[in-house]
């Protein structure tokens, strides 16, 4: 085993989604508390090995990966290699391998010391964005050439917007509509990655006479119902991704048009690793990530600023702010206990 001191981790609406789908998607199972009435929401971040009895894992090494919101964690390194290791702890062996991989920072092509905050905040989310874009294109957008995305101001939302915008001028180009709340319309327009930005209150202003795909980042049942009712059978695919509107989640039964299908990123990872190989997938993701992080951190008009805080109170305050939707769209929280 190896004990890692968790140095810093990101807290975003993605983690709220982990909590909202903790039972359905088994997120509670990664770091069990031993108490059936409580759960530990996982986070992405960086940790240093402070004690190791695992061959090939040395004290002082730094790893990027999936951690509990805690001061430290004991892992059981397995399949140790140059890039890192897999956690072989018994209760995690049946959980998806994507979440069990820990990467050595000094062997990670995406790691830069001065970008750790952005990496913790955006890497897992952008990976999902990249895979959704790839999944939709792989299915020829289900015969549609219009994509609607809710929570377009969220990090996963604008990551997808960036990937879709990169298709402009190509045969696979689609018209994109970013849906967001009134408070985030200006920010979402400033991103300049959406062909149009629409306030949820103005959904009825959209023409629904052509086939479309809906990518639901919000999980808001009322918005989902309006989209399905407006497009009916012209909605060719309804992709459920997140739960940023955690308080308005609802089932997808009884809707007009297609039944919402849950997008599980590891399934697309598995498919592409089989088709492209692990190196091929990593290479494509690295190219997309490089362009994305350059745009996000653009000095003239950055999409995101990193706010770092330390301590239990700071973590609690940030989590409550996320639940209340009170974290500004341009702000990313990176925390330490």
């Amino acid at each position: 085993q190896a004990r890692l001191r968790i140095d810093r981790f990101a807290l975003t609406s993605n983690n709220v989604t982990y909590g909202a789908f903790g039972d359905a998607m088994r997120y509670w199972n990664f770091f069990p508390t031993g108490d059936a009435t409580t759960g530990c929401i996982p986070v992405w971040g960086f940790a240093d090995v402070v004690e190791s009895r695992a061959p090939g894992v040395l004290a002082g090494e730094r790893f990027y990966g999936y951690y509990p919101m805690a001061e430290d964690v004991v892992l059981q390194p397995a399949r140790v290699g140059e890039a890192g290791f897999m956690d072989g702890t018994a209760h995690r062996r049946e959980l998806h391998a994507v979440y069990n991989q820990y990467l050595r920072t000094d062997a990670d092509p995406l790691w830069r010391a001065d970008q750790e905050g952005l990496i913790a905040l955006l890497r897992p989310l952008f990976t999902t964005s990249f895979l959704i874009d790839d999944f939709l294109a792989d299915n020829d957008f289900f015969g549609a050439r219009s994509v609607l995305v809710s929570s377009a101001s969220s990090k996963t939302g604008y990551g997808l917007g960036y990937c879709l915008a990169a298709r402009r001028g190509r045969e696979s180009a689609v018209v994109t509509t970013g849906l967001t709340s009134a408070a985030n319309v200006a920010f979402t327009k400033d991103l300049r990655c959406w062909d149009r930005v629409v306030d949820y209150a103005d959904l009825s202003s959209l023409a629904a006479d052509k086939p479309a795909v809906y990518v639901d980042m919000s999980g808001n049942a009322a918005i989902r119902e309006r989209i399905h009712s407006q497009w009916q059978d012209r909605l060719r695919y309804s992709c459920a991704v997140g739960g940023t509107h955690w308080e308005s989640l609802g089932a997808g039964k009884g809707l007009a048009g297609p039944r919402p299908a849950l997008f599980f990123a590891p399934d697309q990872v598995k498919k592409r690793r089989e088709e492209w190989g692990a190196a091929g997938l990593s290479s494509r993701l690295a190219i997309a990530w490089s362009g994305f992080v350059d745009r996000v951190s653009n000095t003239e008009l950055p999409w995101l600023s990193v706010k770092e805080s330390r301590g239990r109170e700071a973590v609690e305050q940030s989590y409550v702010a996320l639940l209340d939707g009170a974290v500004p769209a341009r702000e990313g929280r990176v925390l330490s206990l």
Side-chain angles (χ1 to χ4, degrees):
Q1 293 179 322
R3 184 185 304 278
L4 286 78
R5 172 69 173 90
I6 300 165
D7 180 44
R8 63 203 327 195
F9 58 85
L11 196 59
T12 71
S13 57
N14 182 51
N15 304 104
V16 175
T17 296
Y18 289 156
F21 294 100
D23 291 317
M25 303 296 292
R26 303 175 70 188
Y27 290 121
W28 298 128
N29 295 19
F30 284 93
F31 304 106
T33 64
D35 176 1
T37 66
T38 66
C40 184
I41 294 177
V43 290
W44 293 90
F46 295 88
D48 300 305
V49 179
V50 293
E51 181 183 6
S52 178
R53 298 178 186 175
V57 177
L58 305 176
E61 290 191 293
R62 190 168 180 82
F63 288 86
Y64 167 79
Y66 202 57
Y67 296 107
M69 280 193 271
E71 295 179 359
D72 59 22
V73 63
V74 174
L75 303 177
Q76 188 170 319
R79 293 165 54 186
V80 179
E82 181 180 341
F85 65 85
M86 302 293 290
D87 182 21
T89 304
H91 74 270
R92 292 180 66 169
R93 292 172 190 166
E94 296 182 359
L95 302 173
H96 205 286
V98 166
Y99 299 106
N100 293 340
Q101 185 176 17
Y102 293 83
L103 303 176
R104 282 190 174 89
T105 56
D106 58 8
D108 181 0
L110 300 191
W111 179 78
R112 278 179 45 181
D114 63 334
Q115 290 185 349
E116 277 197 349
L118 288 176
I119 292 169
L121 284 161
L122 295 174
R123 183 171 179 170
L125 306 181
F126 182 72
T127 300
T128 299
S129 304
F130 171 87
L131 292 168
I132 296 169
D133 170 76
D134 178 61
F135 168 76
L136 294 176
D138 194 29
N139 288 279
D140 193 28
F141 294 91
F142 298 90
R145 278 294 171 266
S146 175
V147 178
L148 312 167
V149 181
S150 63
S151 286
S153 65
S154 69
K155 298 171 185 63
T156 311
Y158 64 65
L160 175 58
Y162 171 85
C163 291
L164 292 170
R167 298 182 178 278
R168 288 171 178 160
R170 294 157 52 186
E171 188 176 343
S172 60
V174 291
V175 176
T176 62
T177 301
L179 307 174
T180 189
S181 62
N184 288 324
V185 165
F187 167 76
T188 309
K189 286 182 176 179
D190 282 346
L191 298 173
R192 299 175 186 172
C193 61
W194 302 104
D195 292 315
R196 56 191 175 191
V197 174
V198 176
D199 184 340
Y200 293 126
D202 296 329
L203 270 176
S204 60
S205 68
L206 292 174
D209 56 339
K210 294 181 180 179
V213 167
Y214 178 44
V215 181
D216 185 6
M217 300 284 185
S218 72
N220 188 304
I223 295 170
R224 185 192 310 122
E225 194 277 333
R226 289 175 64 191
I227 293 288
H228 278 251
S229 294
Q230 201 161 323
W231 266 263
Q232 301 278 330
D233 291 337
R234 290 180 295 279
L235 192 65
R236 296 299 170 82
Y237 192 77
S238 182
C239 184
V241 181
T244 58
H245 294 195
W246 62 273
E247 75 286 2
S248 303
L249 298 177
K253 296 180 180 179
L255 295 171
R259 181 166 182 173
L262 185 65
F263 179 78
F264 188 51
D267 288 342
Q268 190 68 8
V269 169
K270 181 180 179 182
K271 181 179 188 293
R272 286 313 197 186
R273 279 180 174 168
E274 291 172 352
E275 296 172 348
W276 296 340
L281 174 58
S282 295
S283 175
R284 287 169 171 82
L285 178 58
I287 291 170
W289 166 261
S290 178
F292 177 66
V293 79
D294 283 349
R295 182 61 196 86
V296 166
S297 56
N298 179 279
T299 53
E300 292 184 7
L301 187 63
W303 287 3
L304 185 67
S305 61
V306 179
K307 179 180 178 181
E308 300 207 30
S309 304
R310 179 176 293 275
R312 181 187 180 98
E313 184 178 348
V315 173
E316 290 180 351
Q317 288 177 348
S318 290
Y319 184 66
V320 170
L322 283 166
L323 289 179
D324 292 342
V327 177
R330 291 189 187 274
E331 185 178 294
R333 303 285 180 94
V334 174
L335 301 158
S336 305
L337 281 167

